[in-house]
Amino acid sequence: MSTGSPPTPRRTRQPRPLSPLREHLRDTFWFAPTAALFLVGFVWSGAQALDEAILTELQQAGQDEAVRTLVSWAQDARAIVTTISSAMMTFIGVVFSISLVAVQMAAGNFSPRVVRLFTRSRISKATFAVFLSTFALSLLVLTSYDSETDPARVTSVPLVQSLLTLLLVGLSLLLFIAYVTQTLQLMRVGPVVDRVLRESLTGLTQMPVQPPDRSDLPPERGRLEHRGPAGTLRDVHVARLVRAARRKDVVLRLIPRIGDYVVSGTPVLAVHGHGAEAPATAVLRSAVSVGVERTFHMDLGFGLRQLADIGLRAVSPGVNDPTTAVQCIDRIVAYLAVVAHRPLGAVHHRDRGGAVRLVQEGPEWEDLVDLGFAELRGRAVDDPQVSRRLMAGFEDLLRIVPAERRGPLERHRGLLVRAVTGEQPVTADRVFALEPDRQGIG
């Protein structure tokens, strides 16, 4: 049986210095709306300067009739802007309340960890950013209106500002449609698990692809312990650690895996080498990020953890929704198929000269297989739809993976067969439950 040929490894990409910061900001909901409020202030200042320049040019040219026309248009637009400013905040409150209800239902139906899909959503952030910007801009524009109607004495005609506000209102309506569509998708299992899969694959592409490096590290000369609040190791600033290790001619080794929970006193970095001195402790600590929960950045197992959680909740006695579990298994198989030929385990980050400067421990193939299948396999004994989908998944992956990676899959398949055999005394039921079916019971 052919197992296929592994893809050619890509050249290791140098880590981007801002990648951890970018990922952390994506996990927050406050940054985009706050940045939009500052941006709208600059845009309003530019529009105000343009309005003043137009008015000054017309007054200096003696175009009194044109000024009267602009004042008339601006007064007409003022009523619209006033309505927008009074209604937009109420609209924001209603939309946000609906969103909280939808997110709460999604968390209860699937897993609390799906809430982060909402906080990371670009549509959600863009919608609230534009809503708040429209409200803020309408207030700023109202301060620019002048009650004077004499063309020679009028000092402000905020026509461009009013038009800009109307454009933001139109954009708000379009984003509202997209936002409602996405919020409704949070209540459907297919889009949720598919989004988890896409986020997992995106995080996978950010990790360098390299052949296994079995070379021994230099002797260990010291360790850096975590000092601060306990939390989950979210990621490390690879570029900063590589630069620090290159300057001191040492090799750094990340001791815990990304996603491990560390407490104060836990060793996080080991220093290897014969350099004159170790990198500064402050530099090393600033490159290690500890937070409240795991993220997709650098964490190859977090997506599988979420898919397994959703599947386990679906097959629990209180829910009893095996079709949702089947959809989760679909994505687990798809993810494992992508990493089937990918080098796993420790990742060796190199400097520009090609020397190893940072060793980051990662999950092996067996770890990912166990994470994806172990718990669901234990719950599949009493549900033929899940057991049949698992058997089909094992068969599909066994056709894809190299020979040296077949062991964990064959082990889980054998355990599933023995468990179903022990629980199903009737031969016909046993044969039915162990027949591979990609739809579970198609």
Side-chain angles (χ1 to χ4, degrees):
M1 180 182 297
S2 174
T3 60
S5 57
T8 303
R10 298 177 301 173
R11 183 180 178 182
T12 300
R13 182 179 62 182
Q14 290 295 327
R16 290 175 289 184
L18 292 180
S19 59
L21 177 60
R22 184 183 65 251
E23 289 299 320
H24 294 174
L25 291 179
R26 281 198 65 192
D27 284 329
T28 64
F29 198 78
W30 60 267
F31 177 75
T34 303
L37 290 178
F38 283 101
L39 179 61
V40 79
F42 288 109
V43 173
W44 170 73
S45 299
Q48 186 183 44
L50 182 58
D51 280 327
E52 292 176 355
I54 294 174
L55 177 62
T56 302
E57 182 69 23
L58 293 176
Q59 287 175 336
Q60 291 177 352
Q63 300 289 332
D64 291 347
E65 189 61 32
V67 173
R68 289 192 185 93
T69 302
L70 289 181
V71 170
S72 176
W73 288 352
Q75 291 300 325
D76 292 339
R78 182 176 185 173
I80 301 176
V81 174
T82 302
T83 304
I84 292 171
S85 63
S86 61
M88 185 56 69
M89 187 53 69
T90 302
F91 183 57
I92 293 174
V94 172
V95 172
F96 192 71
S97 300
I98 296 174
S99 303
L100 290 180
V101 173
V103 171
Q104 185 178 11
M105 292 181 62
N109 292 336
F110 306 126
S111 169
R113 275 155 292 281
V114 303
V115 176
R116 68 186 314 277
L117 297 180
F118 176 81
T119 60
R120 284 176 63 89
S121 168
R122 291 186 176 93
I123 292 295
S124 300
K125 295 175 183 178
T127 301
F128 279 90
V130 173
F131 283 2
L132 291 176
S133 298
T134 304
F135 174 72
L137 182 61
S138 64
L139 295 181
L140 293 172
V141 173
L142 288 176
T143 64
S144 300
Y145 280 99
D146 190 351
S147 58
E148 182 62 56
T149 59
D150 187 353
R153 301 175 60 184
V154 67
T155 60
S156 176
V157 182
L159 185 61
V160 175
Q161 301 170 59
S162 301
L163 291 176
L164 183 61
T165 304
L166 295 178
L167 289 176
L168 281 181
V169 171
L171 181 59
S172 298
L173 295 177
L174 294 177
L175 285 175
F176 176 67
I177 296 173
Y179 177 74
V180 170
T181 301
Q182 178 188 261
T183 303
L184 292 175
Q185 287 182 343
L186 274 178
M187 304 173 67
R188 299 165 51 202
V189 63
V192 169
V193 294
D194 210 49
R195 179 67 179 273
V196 173
L197 175 61
R198 292 200 306 271
E199 292 272 8
S200 302
L201 295 178
T202 300
L204 183 67
T205 59
Q206 295 174 353
M207 297 296 291
V209 178
Q210 58 185 3
D213 190 338
R214 306 299 183 187
S215 58
D216 295 331
L217 293 176
E220 182 179 326
R221 53 176 300 176
R223 292 190 172 189
L224 174 71
E225 296 179 347
H226 171 62
R227 297 299 180 190
T232 301
L233 181 61
R234 297 191 298 179
D235 56 34
V236 294
H237 200 305
V238 174
R240 186 178 301 170
L241 291 177
V242 169
R243 287 196 300 267
R246 178 176 56 83
R247 284 195 295 266
K248 302 300 182 180
D249 193 23
V250 296
V251 180
L252 300 175
R253 177 172 58 88
L254 187 65
I255 299 174
R257 289 183 182 177
I258 301 296
D260 286 356
Y261 195 83
V262 297
V263 299
S264 182
T266 301
V268 290
L269 283 171
V271 181
H272 296 258
H274 305 282
E277 56 180 322
T281 301
V283 174
L284 298 184
R285 285 206 173 100
S286 66
V288 178
S289 174
V290 175
V292 177
E293 60 181 356
R294 298 167 67 176
T295 69
F296 285 105
H297 187 50
M298 295 186 178
D299 194 342
L300 300 185
F302 185 47
L304 289 177
R305 177 70 275 161
Q306 292 188 70
L307 292 172
D309 285 346
I310 297 173
L312 288 171
R313 182 182 291 254
V315 295
S316 63
V319 178
N320 194 23
D321 182 14
T323 303
T324 294
V326 167
Q327 290 180 281
C328 293
I329 296 172
D330 292 340
R331 275 67 180 188
I332 292 173
V333 173
Y335 181 79
L336 292 176
V338 173
V339 301
H341 296 282
R342 184 186 178 96
L344 297 172
V347 178
H348 295 72
H349 300 278
R350 303 175 184 270
D351 59 18
R352 295 179 179 178
V356 175
R357 295 301 181 187
L358 174 64
V359 178
Q360 176 185 342
E361 295 294 333
E364 299 284 354
W365 169 254
E366 184 175 3
D367 299 325
L368 296 179
V369 173
D370 290 342
L371 180 57
F373 291 127
E375 295 168 301
L376 285 171
R377 173 181 51 77
R379 296 288 184 88
V381 175
D382 298 323
D383 200 316
Q385 184 175 355
V386 180
S387 64
R388 288 161 64 92
R389 181 61 186 96
L390 282 174
M391 291 296 292
F394 292 142
E395 285 197 355
D396 289 339
L397 289 173
L398 286 171
R399 295 189 186 98
I400 297 172
V401 301
E404 63 272 13
R405 290 188 171 180
R406 295 172 60 90
L409 295 170
E410 292 175 341
R411 173 169 57 85
H412 279 284
R413 184 175 64 175
L415 290 173
L416 177 61
V417 171
R418 287 197 292 271
V420 172
T421 302
E423 290 291 329
Q424 298 291 345
V426 180
T427 302
D429 291 341
R430 186 164 59 245
V431 172
F432 179 80
L434 294 176
E435 182 180 351
D437 187 343
R438 293 188 181 90
Q439 297 185 26
I441 300 178

